[in-house]
Amino acid sequence: MKISGKIIDIDNVPLSGANVTLRSGIKSGKVGTIADFEGYFYLESEEFSETDLFEVSYIGFTPQLFKANELKEKKIMMLESV
């Protein structure tokens, strides 16, 4: 299964270096990637299931959780944490 998307802030600015981390299953916390300079991320593994949970996080912003089947060319808008 492939997951991919773009991570931006409320002003549509790409969040380069945002983290995408697997948060369920046997490899929880051990599999992930970071967004590139334009905010894009991509991960692929035959071990991912559609219901695996991924956390998208960036310092100063509220983390968000998504199921793998929701992360297909998904645009993710991060909100600053208070």
Side-chain angles (χ1 to χ4, degrees):
M1 170 174 249
K2 300 175 189 177
I3 67 164
S4 63
K6 183 173 184 176
I7 305 169
I8 58 171
D9 70 8
I10 198 164
D11 295 318
N12 207 33
V13 175
L15 294 178
S16 172
N19 294 295
V20 180
T21 309
L22 179 64
R23 289 293 178 214
S24 65
I26 236 172
K27 295 191 176 187
S28 176
K30 297 177 183 176
V31 175
T33 190
I34 60 169
D36 67 14
F37 184 72
E38 295 178 353
Y40 290 100
F41 68 90
Y42 176 86
L43 269 175
E44 182 176 6
S45 175
E46 291 183 15
E47 295 181 15
F48 296 157
S49 76
E50 291 191 357
T51 57
D52 280 345
L53 289 177
F54 286 85
E55 180 182 60
V56 178
S57 62
Y58 192 76
I59 295 173
F61 290 78
T62 303
Q64 297 181 43
L65 287 175
F66 297 93
K67 289 183 183 176
N69 64 358
E70 297 175 303
L71 294 174
K72 295 189 178 169
E73 298 182 24
K74 173 107 175 144
K75 193 175 214 180
I76 300 168
M77 183 181 297
M78 301 291 288
L79 300 175
E80 289 187 54
S81 56
V82 177

